[in-house]
Amino acid sequence: MASTSMASLCSFPSSSPRPPLDLATVLLSVAPSPYRRRWSCRASSSRPGGTYDYRSSNPLHQPPELQFPLRLPEPNNSTSRLRIFSGTANPTLAQEIACYLGLELGRIKIKRFADGELYVQLQESVRGCDVFLVQPTCPPANENLMELLIMIDACRRASAKTITAVIPYFGYARADRKMQGRESIAAKLVANLITEAGAHRVLACDLHSGQSIGYFDIPVDHVYGQPVILDYLASKTICPNDVVVVSPDVGGVARARAFAKKLSDAPLAIVDKRRLGHNQAEVMNLIGDVRGKVAVMVDDMIDTAGTMSKGAELLHREGAKAVYACSTHAVLSPPAVERLSGGLFQEVIITNSVPVPPRQQFRQLTVLSVANLLGETIWRVHDDCSVSSIFQ
């Protein structure tokens, strides 16, 4: 038997060219069987099931044609990345907002230690989610503000995609400018605190002055409670020709004018007052005619009700047959309840942007909910839709 050398085994005849090497063939020939991988994806392919197995009978069969980019199917429910959490300031409003959106409130643990310090822990994952924190900074303002800041920090450290501070009532909004020397501008300070805590956006309702929006270095969606109050007034049997809208001070003329325009273009009157000090007001005179009319006083908030009550006294002296008080935020610091329930007002119409405890409720008080308004705004922010179109 003729001996065969190693060189002759590794050589090819000159008449027969060397076949080209196929990478898949080489890899399959040298790779151990445990490392042969099964390829699969959810992309469409010409083969049923969209899979290719290197262990098939035809190892040189090419994988199915892929469609890039390869992505897992998106869930049909777009609210899967929307989370609503509530602080302790107004949980009832937060629950109403969640109900409007068809969601459950997020689980969160908030407690106070014996020394007054706050502890916040999210009880569910918010990684990659759009988080909305509902927390008005109403009295006690400092407690609720600090709670909001810690909630924002907890969401930021939990890798939330975006954090929106939903502030139905923005405390310190009245400290928006310097009236005297050596005063602080607390509204700007609070805006900086919220921004530095990690909020990406703020959703506020009826700020005391529009200039407060400029204090934030992040986007601010400013909504108004007027549509809620206007819808309620439209349901009452008041002749439109008998209504006059009254601004309780010169600073609220723009707000009252916009309200009057939407209230059947009602006439406007202005109460001119001179403020003697903080939470103290003295009415001087009335600009406009209210004799025989139903006066609707419009303001953004009622604190001690000094402005409202003194304005109502003046309107009755000028011949108004009924006075309604309308306000978005009812802080109701003492002695507001006594002043509002003393018989000067036919009805006091407010919203639930600030919770009203049972001890502060009285016969003339009507509380409207802004949950649908805030819920619709939250959905539009989450869905990248226009917010201003709500009020058009």
Side-chain angles (χ1 to χ4, degrees):
M1 185 173 184
S3 61
T4 304
S5 65
M6 183 65 66
S8 63
L9 290 175
C10 296
S11 62
F12 293 90
S14 59
S15 61
S16 177
R18 184 174 183 176
L21 294 178
D22 184 84
L23 180 60
T25 304
V26 174
L27 291 176
L28 287 172
S29 62
V30 300
S33 58
Y35 293 96
R36 296 182 183 180
R37 298 185 178 181
R38 187 181 188 88
W39 174 90
S40 65
C41 76
R42 296 179 181 269
S44 61
S45 68
S46 59
R47 298 185 61 187
T51 61
Y52 173 75
D53 190 356
Y54 282 117
R55 294 171 294 182
S56 63
S57 59
N58 185 7
L60 300 183
H61 183 80
Q62 296 297 321
E65 182 180 357
L66 304 181
Q67 296 180 357
F68 291 94
L70 299 178
R71 293 174 182 170
L72 293 177
E74 293 290 339
N76 293 329
N77 188 3
S78 60
T79 61
S80 60
R81 291 295 181 181
L82 176 61
R83 297 288 189 274
I84 308 293
F85 291 92
S86 173
T88 60
N90 199 343
T92 303
L93 175 60
Q95 183 62 58
E96 292 178 5
I97 293 173
C99 289
Y100 176 84
L101 294 170
L103 301 173
E104 295 289 338
L105 279 178
R107 300 187 303 275
I108 187 172
K109 180 179 181 180
I110 302 175
K111 69 176 184 179
R112 285 170 171 79
F113 294 104
D115 60 353
E117 293 182 1
L118 289 166
Y119 172 81
V120 174
Q121 181 189 28
L122 303 179
Q123 300 290 300
E124 61 185 69
S125 174
V126 296
R127 184 180 298 273
C129 296
D130 292 332
V131 177
F132 293 82
L133 306 175
V134 183
Q135 176 78 344
T137 53
C138 53
N142 298 332
E143 285 282 326
N144 291 328
L145 174 60
M146 195 63 196
E147 183 178 310
L148 173 62
L149 297 177
I150 299 177
M151 290 171 63
I152 294 173
D153 182 71
C155 293
R156 179 176 63 86
R157 298 180 186 277
S159 301
K161 180 181 179 182
T162 61
I163 305 170
T164 301
V166 182
I167 310 176
Y169 170 73
F170 183 68
Y172 290 101
R174 286 174 285 184
D176 56 357
R177 61 190 183 276
K178 291 183 65 173
M179 299 296 295
Q180 302 177 16
R182 299 175 297 279
E183 285 186 339
S184 67
I185 304 179
K188 172 60 177 173
L189 174 61
V190 173
N192 289 342
L193 291 173
I194 294 174
T195 303
E196 292 300 322
H200 299 94
R201 180 181 295 270
V202 168
L203 171 56
C205 182
D206 267 330
L207 293 172
H208 185 65
S209 60
Q211 68 195 40
S212 299
I213 298 176
Y215 293 159
F216 289 89
D217 296 327
I218 55 178
V220 176
D221 291 303
H222 188 202
V223 299
Y224 305 92
Q226 287 185 358
V228 178
I229 299 175
L230 286 169
D231 288 344
Y232 176 77
L233 290 176
S235 66
K236 302 185 71 66
T237 57
I238 302 177
C239 180
N241 296 328
D242 293 340
V243 176
V244 56
V245 177
V246 181
S247 174
D249 53 25
V250 177
V253 172
R255 182 185 303 107
R257 184 184 293 114
F259 192 92
K261 184 178 181 180
K262 296 180 180 179
L263 192 63
S264 303
D265 202 12
L268 180 67
I270 304 171
V271 175
D272 178 29
K273 75 174 189 297
R274 181 171 298 174
R275 188 174 294 276
L276 301 179
H278 295 294
N279 296 329
Q280 298 181 16
E282 180 182 356
V283 172
M284 302 301 294
N285 50 36
L286 178 68
I287 303 172
D289 183 23
V290 297
R291 187 169 300 277
K293 301 283 188 179
V294 176
V296 179
M297 300 185 69
V298 180
D299 207 352
D300 63 317
M301 71 173 67
I302 300 177
D303 189 358
T304 60
T307 298
M308 282 288 189
S309 61
K310 290 184 178 296
E313 293 175 359
L314 176 63
L315 293 174
H316 281 292
R317 289 199 304 266
E318 294 293 331
K321 63 180 181 181
V323 179
Y324 288 79
C326 301
S327 178
T328 303
H329 311 299
V331 181
L332 301 183
S333 302
V337 174
E338 290 76 10
R339 289 171 172 173
L340 296 174
S341 61
L344 292 173
F345 299 95
Q346 182 77 17
E347 190 173 2
V348 179
I349 305 168
I350 61 174
T351 73
N352 62 344
S353 63
V354 176
V356 181
R359 68 178 184 276
Q360 291 184 327
Q361 298 180 7
F362 48 94
R363 182 178 58 84
Q364 298 93 337
L365 185 66
T366 299
V367 181
L368 308 178
S369 178
V370 292
N372 292 359
L373 174 65
L374 294 176
E376 179 65 23
T377 305
I378 289 173
W379 175 255
R380 293 185 180 221
V381 171
H382 170 68
D383 206 34
D384 294 329
C385 296
S386 173
V387 173
S388 60
S389 60
I390 299 176
F391 307 98
Q392 294 177 357

